[in-house]
Amino acid sequence: MKYLIVGLGNIGPEYAETRHNIGFMVLDYLAKKHDAQFDTGRHSFVTEIKTKGRTFVLVKPTTYMNLSGKAVGHWLTSLKLPVEQMMVITDDIAIPFGKIRIRTKGSAGGHNGLKHIEQTLGHNNYPRLRFGVGDTFHKGKQVDYVLSKFSEDEQIDLQALVEKAAESVLAFGTIGLERTMNQYNTK
């Protein structure tokens, strides 16, 4: 069984380890844990890991956030996978820092990466993991906030939270979406 895992983010050193790049951070953790290296693929950096008889194709789009659907569309078609076997990992300012929400579908919620994926697919019925980054920014400063690095206080717990999100991605492929949601969704 094969799964496509798409971590959203922006390429370039200026975006590394920012809130908006949490999807990249989760995939980087998974790749490192499984001794996998990312290669340049179509519209993305891509690698593959195997665990418990499952193959996970990890994709970090290189199109910048606003065009993430290009990578999603290409890899779903190339791998001949249904959207039910894909999970998108993204940041979410509407969720408190460190909480994760795994859903079977949902709105883009103002997230440009999710908007483009929805436009590309023609629907919003695909699994996603929303990683809460909080909303401690002043009005009109949302872009600056999501493109900034995590605070010192947040960094204390960040690695453990990334690991938990990574575990939930693997659970998605091994125990199924419903059980993963029951086990990993935090209140």
Side-chain angles (χ1 to χ4, degrees), residues 81-125:
L81 293 177
V83 294
E84 296 80 19
Q85 286 173 233
M86 173 185 74
M87 178 175 277
V88 174
I89 305 167
T90 185
D91 61 301
D92 194 320
I93 60 171
I95 299 173
F97 170 74
K99 305 291 183 189
I100 63 172
R101 297 276 190 280
I102 300 167
R103 297 285 188 257
T104 57
K105 61 182 179 179
S107 76
H111 194 286
N112 290 330
L114 296 179
K115 280 183 192 174
H116 195 257
I117 292 169
E118 188 175 322
Q119 288 171 352
T120 301
L121 297 177
H123 61 81
N124 64 2
N125 299 322

Side-chain angles (χ1 to χ4, degrees), residues 25-38 49-52 58 159 162-164 166-168 170:
M25 294 167 70
V26 172
L27 295 192
D28 288 341
Y29 170 80
L30 280 169
K32 184 176 180 182
K33 183 176 180 189
H34 293 269
D35 295 319
Q37 301 293 317
F38 281 95
I49 63 171
K50 294 179 190 289
T51 186
K52 297 183 180 180
L58 310 180
Q159 186 61 35
V162 166
E163 289 174 21
K164 182 179 177 185
E167 284 174 19
S168 73
L170 299 180

Side-chain angles (χ1 to χ4, degrees), residues 1-7 27 30 46-59 72 75-76 78-89 127 168-178 180:
M1 199 65 149
K2 191 172 275 194
Y3 295 88
L4 174 63
I5 309 300
V6 181
L27 295 192
L30 280 169
V46 63
T47 193
E48 203 172 270
I49 63 171
K50 294 179 190 289
T51 186
K52 297 183 180 180
R54 307 296 198 276
T55 300
F56 295 85
V57 178
L58 310 180
V59 169
V72 168
W75 288 103
L76 278 175
S78 175
L79 297 169
K80 298 179 173 76
L81 293 177
V83 294
E84 296 80 19
Q85 286 173 233
M86 173 185 74
M87 178 175 277
V88 174
I89 305 167
S168 73
V169 167
L170 299 180
F172 162 66
T174 55
I175 66 172
L177 185 58
E178 291 297 324
T180 300

